[in-house]
Amino acid sequence: MREEKPKFPSQKNKSQKKNRWFWPAIYSGLAIVFVGMIWGFNAIVQKDSATDGVEVTQQPNNDLVVETNAQTEVLKYPFDEDEFENMAILQEYYDVEADEDMREKALLVFSQTYLTNKGLSISMEDQPFEVVAAMSGTVKEVVIDEFSGSEITIEHAEGLSTIYGSLTGILVKEGDQVLQGQALGNATSNEWNAQAGTHLHFEVHKDGIPVNPRSYLAF
């Protein structure tokens, strides 16, 4: 009796079965891609529509604010301008070209030694007053000294710097960015310049050299 061989599907049947799935798979893939493109386009349109008419706000950059302000500022008084009428210059900046009377008022005496004043000694009838930044800038140095009064140095744009001496209650620290008019501390008296009483020692430097604050401010 002849043994029958097992029957296997022909190559033709295999090809037909493969062809049955090939084109549906292609169509399905193209449909998925097309739907994805439509969804992505709608998402972009909706995002743009949502932002139309809505103000987008960003957190302010303090460093940028200080730099921008400093480029458009002029030096102002280191105190509340409403108190201008109550302020007096007790000791002048020492200017070698000034008259004798002005130079005499610019001499500071300590321990029987005469020193030339590099700034102005400003007083409000011997009363404490708030001292503010004359211009926006960066706090370069803070010196705490009870004997001569604490001192703050602020660097500004275009090579300017200001020094505020005979202070108490310091409100800033080195590296702080300050805005024009910002409170720095309060004027006080000190032992080094006791004759001036409660006052602010105010200096203006240009490229590291002291200059007369009167050349910037109309005292």
Side-chain angles (χ1 to χ4, degrees):
M1 185 173 180
R2 189 173 62 182
E3 183 179 349
E4 292 185 1
K5 295 182 180 179
K7 295 181 179 180
F8 296 96
S10 65
Q11 293 297 326
K12 182 178 181 180
N13 291 337
K14 289 183 180 179
S15 176
Q16 290 175 349
K17 186 179 292 186
K18 184 182 295 185
N19 288 338
R20 258 198 329 265
W21 291 100
F22 177 77
W23 288 110
I26 292 296
Y27 294 147
S28 298
L30 290 174
I32 292 172
V33 171
F34 182 73
V35 170
M37 292 174 62
I38 294 176
W39 182 86
F41 177 78
N42 288 336
I44 293 174
V45 171
Q46 290 176 359
K47 183 176 179 181
D48 291 342
S49 298
T51 56
D52 287 347
V54 177
E55 183 178 357
V56 179
T57 59
Q58 297 180 345
Q59 293 298 325
N61 185 319
N62 289 337
D63 293 353
L64 181 60
V65 170
V66 170
E67 182 178 353
T68 301
N69 287 348
Q71 292 176 352
T72 60
E73 289 175 349
V74 295
L75 207 69
K76 290 189 176 181
Y77 298 109
F79 50 77
D80 185 348
E81 292 189 0
D82 291 340
E83 299 290 349
F84 179 80
E85 296 297 330
N86 299 321
M87 295 296 176
I89 305 297
L90 300 182
Q91 296 161 323
E92 296 284 348
Y93 169 84
Y94 188 87
D95 186 349
V96 293
E97 298 181 357
D99 58 42
E100 183 178 351
D101 183 59
M102 189 69 76
R103 292 200 306 273
E104 184 177 343
K105 291 181 180 179
L107 291 176
L108 305 180
V109 182
F110 176 73
S111 188
Q112 299 181 342
T113 302
Y114 286 91
L115 299 173
T116 55
N117 195 4
K118 296 180 181 179
L120 298 175
S121 299
I122 305 171
S123 175
M124 188 178 73
E125 300 176 351
D126 200 26
Q127 298 298 313
F129 60 90
E130 186 176 68
V131 176
V132 303
M135 181 180 283
S136 300
T138 304
V139 178
K140 178 184 179 182
E141 185 177 33
V142 176
V143 178
I144 305 299
D145 190 335
E146 294 184 2
F147 179 73
S148 61
S150 298
E151 183 178 276
I152 298 173
T153 301
I154 301 178
E155 290 185 330
H156 311 286
E158 299 181 357
L160 281 179
S161 60
T162 49
I163 298 176
Y164 311 76
S166 190
L167 297 182
T168 188
I170 301 296
L171 299 174
V172 296
K173 63 182 183 301
E174 292 180 12
D176 280 357
Q177 301 290 318
V178 297
L179 295 175
Q180 188 174 55
Q182 182 175 332
L184 304 176
N186 295 306
T188 187
S189 58
N190 64 74
E191 296 182 35
W192 190 90
N193 189 9
Q195 62 178 327
T198 299
H199 72 286
L200 164 68
H201 176 76
F202 179 62
E203 296 183 17
V204 177
H205 292 205
K206 174 65 174 176
D207 297 327
I209 300 174
V211 296
N212 192 343
R214 285 182 179 273
S215 61
Y216 291 90
L217 301 169
F219 282 104

